[in-house]
């Protein structure tokens, strides 16, 4: 037992020598190893904590706070089932947080954010000429996530810009000229 102890390797040589022949020392090492086992298990996987793809689901809200996405992923007073984001999508948002932050306030950033949060592609944002107003065209597949889309638009668009949400009819693009 004394030769396989991880703890024994870090102890002074006098303890290492004594552990070969001393049953009390062997028992003490066994108890110490058992006491350290839970800590060792955590330390063996600690490198997965900051990785949104590998972190335990219970840590995803914590990671959201690190990258300033907790305003979206943590339940608020107005939160309902339709406004919640599945953990897999939260992981995608956290992984893309730096890119999303760099594009915050842009059409590209808003459409990418909406796609990642809802899991539905095909969002479009139109600027109304001569006004600080945007029209967000929502794919029909995301119509059941209007509360979430609204929270994202309000949280990501520039503060001085007003917004309008419009769900496209199923099967159509709903874009200009249609």
């Amino acid at each position: 037992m004394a030769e396989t102890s991880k703890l024994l390797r870090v102890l002074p040589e006098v303890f290492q020598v004594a552990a070969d022949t001393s049953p009390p020392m062997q028992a003490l090492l066994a108890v110490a190893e058992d006491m350290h086992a839970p800590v060792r298990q955590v330390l063996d996987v600690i490198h997965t904590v900051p990785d949104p793809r590998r972190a335990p689901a219970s840590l995803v809200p914590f990671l959201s706070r690190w990258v300033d996405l907790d305003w979206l992923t943590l339940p608020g007073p107005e939160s309902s089932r339709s406004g919640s984001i599945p953990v897999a999508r939260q992981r995608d948002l956290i992984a893309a947080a730096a890119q999303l932050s760099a594009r915050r306030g842009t059409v590209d950033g808003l459409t990418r954010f909406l796609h990642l949060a809802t899991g539905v592609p095909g969002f479009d944002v139109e600027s109304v000429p001569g006004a600080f107003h945007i029209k967000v065209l929502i794919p029909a597949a995301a119509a059941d996530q209007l509360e979430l889309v609204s929270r994202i638009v309000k949280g990501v668009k520039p503060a001085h810009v007003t917004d309008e949400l419009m769900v496209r009819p199923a099967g159509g693009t709903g874009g200009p000229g249609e």
Side-chain angles (χ1 to χ4, degrees):
M1 194 296 290
E3 294 151 21
T4 61
S5 171
K6 293 178 182 178
L7 183 60
L8 186 60
R9 287 185 280 150
V10 298
L11 291 176
E13 185 179 353
V14 68
F15 291 104
Q16 294 177 20
V17 172
D20 287 336
T21 58
S22 171
M25 182 62 147
Q26 292 170 0
L28 183 62
L29 280 171
V31 169
E33 286 282 342
D34 286 345
M35 288 175 57
H36 286 94
V39 174
R40 291 189 85 66
Q41 289 172 348
V42 169
L43 291 176
D44 287 344
V45 296
I46 197 76
H47 62 281
T48 65
V49 170
D51 183 349
R53 306 266 188 236
R54 299 183 336 180
S58 60
L59 286 179
V60 170
F62 176 69
L63 294 176
S64 292
R65 182 170 210 101
W66 271 10
V67 295
D68 193 29
L69 288 175
D70 56 325
W71 61 271
L72 179 64
T73 58
L74 294 178
E78 76 288 341
S79 180
S80 69
R81 187 174 175 84
S82 65
S84 63
I85 301 176
V87 172
R89 291 207 188 95
Q90 289 181 39
R91 292 178 189 276
D92 292 341
L93 286 167
I94 294 165
Q99 297 159 346
L100 293 172
S101 181
R103 296 185 202 162
R104 191 172 188 145
T106 67
V107 169
D108 183 47
L110 179 56
T111 55
R112 175 89 172 120
F113 202 118
L114 289 168
H115 177 198
L116 287 173
T118 63
V120 178
F123 286 89
D124 282 319
V125 178
E126 298 175 351
S127 290
V128 176
F132 293 109
H133 184 78
I134 58 172
K135 186 185 298 185
V136 180
L137 303 172
I138 304 166
D144 61 337
Q145 300 182 61
L146 282 178
E147 180 185 331
L148 175 61
V149 170
S150 177
R151 282 195 304 160
I152 292 168
V153 171
K154 302 259 185 266
V156 174
K157 71 172 180 60
H160 66 281
V161 174
T162 58
D163 62 90
E164 174 184 355
L165 305 180
M166 178 186 269
V167 179
R168 292 181 176 157
T173 62
E178 208 179 87

